[in-house]
Amino acid sequence: MNPTALDQFRLIGRTALVTGASGGIGHAIARALCEAGAKVYLGSRSESRLENAMSGWNFEAGSAEPWIVDLLDKRACENGIAKIMGETGSVDILVNCAGVITRGSIDEQDSACWNDVLGANLSAPYRLCRAVAPAMRSMGWGRILNIGSVLSVEGKRNALPYIVSKHGIAGLTRALAAELGPDKICVNALCPGYVRTDINTALQQDPEFNARIESSTPCGRWGTVEDIVGPALFLCSDAAAYVNGHLLLVDGGMTATH
């Protein structure tokens, strides 16, 4: 029997690694991949947050395992990836979602801020891509999904290191798509707009900023993590076999009107 259109989105037999999976967008994506049938390793620095996040999950289709690691610790990342490879043979799907942001003007953000943000948001994804690519190449199948932002294609004040890191994610995605595409590894970036997560709680509590988001977004609202799940599942599946090097903006139309 030929596979149906929906079958292309099933991930049974696939192994996925999702960083930043203890909350927000990373948690929602990890759960979706698990529900689609994948064995998902959930990356986080906090074991307690991860345990709380995974409580109540439905493992009818896939399964989930914690992956406790500090992504800024190069040796720990290498050892962690080696352990997963030893258990599963490969990482078929890598979702680089972990990230940090610091706010302030260029005068207020020193080199320590720069190094911390670029290290977490750009250097760590680069190292993980480099670690999983050989096994994906040998299998002739792979999906790498980097989580960017509308700030991968735009600029704004008071978030310089973050914006540079997200522009870097766009470059990393396109460069790896060109390099790994011949090996049937598709590398894409999902670029959310303003989504209600813990990372932007302060902005959500600002009435003026809320009004600006609602007026500048054609959909007229903030995004939710549920808005991100479908696009992410698509880019991690067989359905996206000819989508490579793409920055998929999930922003309610915000960038279309700027």
Side-chain angles (χ1 to χ4, degrees), residues 65-170:
E65 297 286 344
W67 189 55
I68 310 303
V69 67
D70 180 353
L71 294 176
L72 296 179
D73 186 334
K74 180 181 177 182
R75 180 63 59 85
C77 285
E78 290 173 349
N79 292 341
I81 291 289
K83 185 174 183 293
I84 294 173
M85 295 288 192
E87 293 172 355
T88 66
S90 71
V91 173
D92 306 300
I93 300 164
L94 170 64
V95 180
N96 285 308
C97 189
V100 298
I101 185 170
T102 55
R103 294 186 172 92
S105 70
I106 187 172
D107 299 314
E108 296 167 322
Q109 300 210 52
D110 59 14
S111 59
C113 293
W114 175 274
N115 291 335
D116 287 346
V117 174
L118 270 291
N121 294 5
L122 187 57
S123 295
Y126 158 74
R127 286 196 297 268
L128 291 178
C129 289
R130 193 169 185 272
V132 303
M136 289 182 177
R137 187 181 290 115
S138 67
M139 292 185 62
W141 196 98
R143 297 288 183 271
I144 295 175
L145 178 59
N146 296 317
I147 304 303
S149 165
V150 290
L151 297 176
S152 293
V153 297
E154 292 187 340
K156 68 184 289 288
R157 298 175 61 185
N158 296 328
L160 177 61
Y162 181 82
I163 293 168
V164 171
S165 73
K166 292 304 180 180
H167 274 66
I169 282 291

Side-chain angles (χ1 to χ4, degrees), residues 24 31 143 152 210 215 220 229 236-237:
R31 184 166 186 162
R143 297 288 183 271
S152 293
N210 269 285
S215 64
V229 165
C236 291
S237 71

Side-chain angles (χ1 to χ4, degrees), residues 5-10 141 143 233-243:
L6 288 179
D7 287 335
Q8 295 184 82
F9 293 88
R10 303 189 198 282
W141 196 98
R143 297 288 183 271
L233 178 59
F234 163 63
L235 291 174
C236 291
S237 71
D238 281 327
Y242 202 58
V243 182

